[in-house]
Amino acid sequence: MKKKTLKQMLKKSKSNQKQIFAELTFSDGRVLRVSVDADDQKALDNLKEQLRDKTGTFTDSNNNIFDLRNLVHYQFLG
């Protein structure tokens, strides 16, 4: 298979991946949405463990830091 064709196939397969979103609500009222590939079970398990134990931090695209110790509520969206 040609290199170009292989790259095109990989690009298509990446664009078809489903995402699972977790919506996190913090004690100061801020809400953060975190996405994980639905096929990446290890990443999903790590996220669930972090949320359950309230350990770690997240940083959004504006460099705001969200400390999970201040997590009030979370839910997973399709």
Side-chain angles (χ1 to χ4, degrees):
M1 190 175 293
K2 291 185 177 182
K3 193 174 188 178
K4 187 174 183 180
T5 306
L6 184 59
K7 283 184 181 179
Q8 288 174 344
M9 286 176 58
L10 286 172
K11 193 174 187 180
K12 281 185 181 179
S13 68
K14 286 184 180 179
S15 65
N16 292 338
Q17 289 180 343
K18 287 192 174 188
Q19 297 279 321
I20 294 177
F21 294 93
E23 189 172 87
L24 316 177
T25 306
F26 293 87
S27 60
D28 58 0
R30 296 185 296 170
V31 177
L32 177 67
R33 247 190 202 177
V34 179
S35 64
V36 178
D37 289 333
D39 296 335
D40 192 354
Q41 192 62 41
K42 185 168 175 72
L44 188 58
D45 290 341
N46 288 341
L47 176 62
K48 287 179 181 178
E49 183 179 345
Q50 272 189 300
L51 295 176
R52 183 187 66 230
D53 298 339
K54 294 186 177 183
T55 57
T57 59
F58 288 105
T59 305
D60 69 0
S61 58
N62 296 327
N63 290 329
N64 295 320
I65 298 173
F66 295 85
D67 191 349
L68 289 178
R69 288 180 290 178
N70 300 326
L71 182 67
V72 175
H73 176 75
Y74 67 90
Q75 67 181 7
F76 286 93
L77 310 171

